[in-house]
Amino acid sequence: IEDKANDMTHFYEEAAALLRGRRKEPLRIAFYGDSNMTMDFISGELRRSLQLGYGDAGHGYVALGRPWSWYKHMDVQHDVDSGWISYTVSTNRAPDIRYGFAGISAHSTRPGAVTYVATAPEGSPVGLTAQVFDLYYMKEPGYGTFEIRADGELIHTVDSYAPVPEPAVFRFTLPDAAHRIEFVSGPKPVRLFGVTLERARPGFVVDSLGVGALNCFMQVKQDRAVVVETLRRRNYDLVMWLTGSNMWNPGGHPMWMKDLIERHREALPGRSILLMSPPGFIDHVTDTKTHWRMKQVQKEKRDIAIANKTAYWDLQSAMG
């Protein structure tokens, strides 16, 4: 990791406190990515490694929309029925550009629509139980109520009406056990962003924030106030970007990444930020070298990290 500005200091200090038993709450990592992340393989392996070694503090964030059949996290269960529109910053944009920090949201189209998450199936290495749940959603003048059902039982009815639009977080707790949580729409529309599954114990949590075709230009085309407020509530210790495979604008790339970094520093002052180069990319199966454009983005990412005093890790070089 290249870190001339020592931007990883916060993360290292908090990780040391966790490992020495002085930190009592989960250490949270945000991991943004494009299609490489939408099946949670890279972020999921990181989550498994950290949790098997240092404690399972819960799966973390799962979007309540499912824009693509291949959007599927490891070590958790989740799906959405046909009564929801799954908006994303990339392939199906919301008219009001409100998604929360993760770039995916679910908008109900009929009463009784269900989107759900559940703890990992038996035999999974991590994620078998959860205890603390934070639901991220939008409150607006035209929105109504929705139900939260845990293991088949109604536990809360949430009113998402507000005189002016504002993001909200609803926290609820259950015994530390296996659970299935359903969110059921009422007569009026509702907009749900996602839900976190955690345990009331120290350990690592890795939020996989993958969006198909994602780049930094799409990320800045969101409601800034909604992004900042939801990020503030999530309270990350480290934010990572594995993006760039879909970046075709060398002139705009530094400007848009700077905007993104500033938003996260506004919401999470003093927290660590790590930029990563995109992985390899080839044009044809007979190619043996990474495409020239990925080499260009690799250099851009390093330059952006230096200019904005963040850490940088060269995934292309690490891949060999």
Side-chain angles (χ1 to χ4, degrees):
I1 293 176
E2 302 173 30
D3 188 18
K4 295 181 179 179
N6 295 318
D7 198 52
M8 291 292 288
T9 297
H10 169 84
F11 177 74
Y12 292 151
E13 289 178 345
E14 292 304 314
L18 187 149
L19 300 183
R20 292 167 182 160
R22 297 200 303 266
R23 180 179 171 120
K24 303 305 180 184
E25 65 174 297
L27 193 153
R28 300 179 181 91
I29 301 171
F31 203 163
Y32 289 104
D34 50 29
S35 300
N36 290 298
M37 199 73 72
T38 49
M39 294 188 75
D40 190 29
F41 287 148
I42 300 172
S43 44
E45 185 63 26
L46 175 62
R47 185 186 306 111
R48 284 182 176 182
S49 296
L50 291 171
Q51 293 187 346
L52 289 172
Y54 307 111
D56 180 353
H59 179 84
Y61 189 91
V62 183
L64 288 172
R66 196 174 178 208
W68 318 279
S69 60
W70 59 88
Y71 178 71
K72 185 177 181 180
H73 281 210
M74 293 168 58
D75 303 316
V76 74
Q77 302 172 80
H78 61 108
D79 209 347
V80 56
D81 72 17
S82 60
W84 301 86
I85 299 173
S86 293
Y87 288 125
T88 79
V89 296
S90 57
T91 57
N92 185 28
R93 297 179 180 89
D96 58 13
I97 60 173
R98 294 175 183 141
Y99 316 86
F101 55 81
I104 299 174
S105 65
H107 187 93
S108 66
T109 59
R110 61 169 171 80
V114 177
T115 177
Y116 81 90
V117 296
T119 48
E122 188 175 348
S124 299
V126 296
L128 294 169
T129 68
Q131 184 177 10
V132 182
F133 303 83
D134 280 346
L135 170 67
Y136 290 74
Y137 66 105
M138 198 69 201
K139 300 179 76 170
E140 298 221 15
Y143 288 177
T145 61
F146 59 90
E147 294 179 350
I148 302 176
R149 300 175 184 172
D151 310 316
E153 300 291 331
L154 174 65
I155 58 170
H156 296 290
T157 298
V158 180
D159 189 354
S160 64
Y161 167 83
V164 295
E166 59 177 330
V169 180
F170 183 83
R171 171 168 288 190
F172 57 100
T173 59
L174 295 168
D176 189 15
H179 296 290
R180 176 187 168 106
I181 311 297
E182 295 180 341
F183 303 92
V184 186
S185 62
K188 292 184 178 181
V190 296
R191 177 76 60 84
L192 308 182
F193 298 146
V195 62
T196 61
L197 294 77
E198 292 190 352
R199 303 172 69 199
R201 55 158 295 168
F204 288 90
V205 172
V206 179
D207 285 3
S208 181
L209 308 176
V211 176
L214 185 71
N215 62 34
C216 55
F217 172 73
M218 296 169 185
Q219 282 193 280
V220 299
K221 296 299 180 181
Q222 300 184 68
D223 187 308
R224 181 182 180 118
V226 172
V227 170
V228 169
E229 181 56 29
T230 52
L231 276 172
R232 185 175 289 127
R233 294 294 296 270
R234 188 65 185 124
N235 198 27
Y236 289 116
D237 295 284
L238 171 64
V239 179
M240 303 194 297
W241 272 278
L242 176 54
T243 55
S245 298
N246 302 292
M247 178 47 61
W248 295 84
N249 189 321
H253 194 186
M255 174 178 62
W256 298 323
M257 278 303 308
K258 181 176 186 294
D259 189 335
L260 272 181
I261 291 167
E262 288 175 348
R263 293 182 188 202
H264 284 71
R265 283 179 169 160
E266 177 184 346
L268 306 164
R271 307 306 168 86
S272 299
I273 293 177
L274 173 65
L275 306 188
M276 299 170 64
S277 78
F281 178 98
I282 59 173
D283 277 337
H284 304 95
V285 293
T286 55
D287 288 350
T288 59
K289 294 183 179 180
T290 296
H291 192 278
W292 65 267
R293 183 170 62 85
M294 290 298 94
K295 294 293 187 182
Q296 179 186 32
V297 176
Q298 177 188 35
K299 182 181 183 303
E300 288 171 12
K301 270 293 191 68
R302 177 182 279 112
D303 292 344
I304 291 167
I306 293 171
N308 293 277
K309 295 181 170 56
T310 76
Y312 174 76
W313 189 62
D314 191 336
L315 176 57
Q316 282 184 39
S317 296
M319 289 172 67

